[in-house]
Amino acid sequence: MSYHLSWERDGRDWPNRAFSRFVEAGGLRWHVQVMGQGPVALLLHGTGASTHSFRDLAPLLAKHFTVVAPDLPGHGFTAVPASQEGYTLPGVSAGIGALLDGLGLRQKVIVAVGHSAGAAIALRMCLDGLINPVAVISLNGALLPFPVPSGIAGSAARWLFTSGVAARVFSFFAGTGPTVERVMRSTGSVLDADGLKFYRRLAVNQGHVAGAMALMGNWDLHPLLADLPRLKTKLVLVNGSKDGMVPPAEASRIRALLPQAELISLHGLGHLAHEERPGEIAALVEKVVAHEAPG
């Protein structure tokens, strides 16, 4: 197994492969899927995932939108950034803005749908003026800072995330035991065989895991939290009642900062709600856009 994923080998049966393309933008070679027609629905996956997580949702939305779904930097088949800055929240947001410019679609983004860390990216892009959608839909958004030890312990934790050591350890165990199945169960979601297959493929690849670790090691949500009160874009906070990764109560804390935000709870669904019931999420996106779009 090579360190990085190979499109010829690992992407041979990739979901929605026919819509994949590789685009050079912002100093990075991106893997992005583009399908459908109409205003743009930008889909942003979370840490450790990839475009495969939208395998069922993207085709449903493509009936009404031009769907743009990239792999985040260092994830899936997108290249590794030249520096750690490319893994920061502002860095990732700027990179996706450059990708949208390269596709000629940035001005056409009407809705941004972000899952977990993807929700933070969508909001950062709005706050930085990179996109101006009618709404951001946060799917179990990871928007609150997670505690990181200070001093030597904090430095050690950040080194572990960014050095590649953790990636090698996790990939080893993912390849020799039921680690992926345990992680998936901890999300509170129940996935089909295809979902588990692709997460397993990602988890045993050191390059992908290293990208996820680097993102975590360089993530700082404190500035986003401070800036959220000035958000002008409609925010819809969608949370699964069984989410084992991002406690549903976090959405209520975000709403306390933004009383105008809409809060929607999905009973019986976990962190990967969009993979469990993609039809329900697609209908929700269409409803929000229809309500918020002018005319």
Side-chain angles (χ1 to χ4, degrees):
M1 178 68 67
S2 62
Y3 188 82
H4 294 289
L5 289 164
S6 162
W7 183 243
E8 289 71 24
R9 180 192 64 237
D10 303 301
R12 64 194 183 281
D13 58 346
W14 203 250
N16 303 311
R17 178 188 169 100
F19 300 99
S20 287
R21 60 180 78 173
F22 290 86
V23 178
E24 299 281 348
L28 207 60
R29 186 173 187 259
W30 298 82
H31 169 242
V32 58
Q33 296 188 327
V34 183
M35 66 182 78
Q37 293 183 343
V40 172
L42 177 62
L43 307 186
L44 300 171
H45 68 76
T47 308
S50 72
T51 55
H52 88 279
S53 67
F54 298 121
R55 62 193 176 281
D56 295 320
L57 177 61
L60 293 174
L61 290 175
K63 297 176 182 178
H64 304 282
F65 305 96
T66 297
V67 174
V68 177
D71 281 340
L72 297 184
H75 286 63
F77 300 96
T78 291
V80 173
S83 71
Q84 294 299 310
E85 175 62 28
Y87 286 114
T88 65
L89 181 51
V92 173
S93 301
I96 294 173
L99 171 62
L100 290 169
D101 280 336
L103 294 169
L105 295 174
R106 186 162 67 89
Q107 301 301 325
K108 298 180 180 179
V109 176
I110 195 170
V111 62
V113 181
H115 172 244
S116 196
I121 298 168
L123 290 170
R124 187 73 265 168
M125 292 182 74
C126 290
L127 289 164
D128 291 347
L130 296 170
I131 55 173
N132 185 32
V134 299
V136 169
I137 299 176
S138 165
L139 302 177
N140 293 311
L143 303 175
L144 294 178
F146 50 86
V148 176
S150 59
I152 296 175
S155 298
R158 283 187 287 274
W159 175 83
L160 185 64
F161 277 134
T162 58
S163 67
V165 173
R168 291 194 292 273
V169 172
F170 182 85
S171 296
F172 172 79
F173 283 109
T176 59
T179 302
V180 174
E181 285 74 7
R182 285 200 298 270
V183 171
M184 291 299 105
R185 283 197 298 271
S186 72
T187 68
S189 291
V190 178
L191 298 187
D192 60 17
D194 270 352
L196 288 173
K197 176 179 73 173
F198 290 113
Y199 276 112
R200 191 178 297 111
R201 188 174 301 173
L202 296 175
V204 299
N205 183 265
Q206 291 183 27
H208 173 84
V209 176
M213 295 290 182
L215 198 73
M216 293 174 67
N218 288 280
W219 218 236
D220 182 4
L221 291 172
H222 291 92
L224 177 69
L225 197 61
D227 288 343
L228 271 183
R230 64 179 179 85
L231 180 72
K232 303 300 182 184
T233 309
K234 169 75 173 181
L235 175 60
V236 181
L237 298 160
V238 181
N239 66 272
S241 65
K242 294 175 62 178
D243 190 345
M245 306 294 281
V246 179
E250 289 200 6
S252 298
R253 291 179 60 188
I254 295 297
R255 195 180 184 212
L257 291 173
L258 294 167
Q260 69 273 28
E262 183 178 356
L263 184 58
I264 298 175
S265 181
L266 301 177
H267 181 71
L269 297 184
H271 190 61
L272 305 172
H274 60 295
E275 297 189 57
E276 295 180 276
R277 293 213 292 257
E280 186 172 338
I281 301 302
L284 187 155
V285 174
E286 293 163 18
K287 181 179 178 181
V288 168
V289 172
H291 184 267
E292 297 297 327

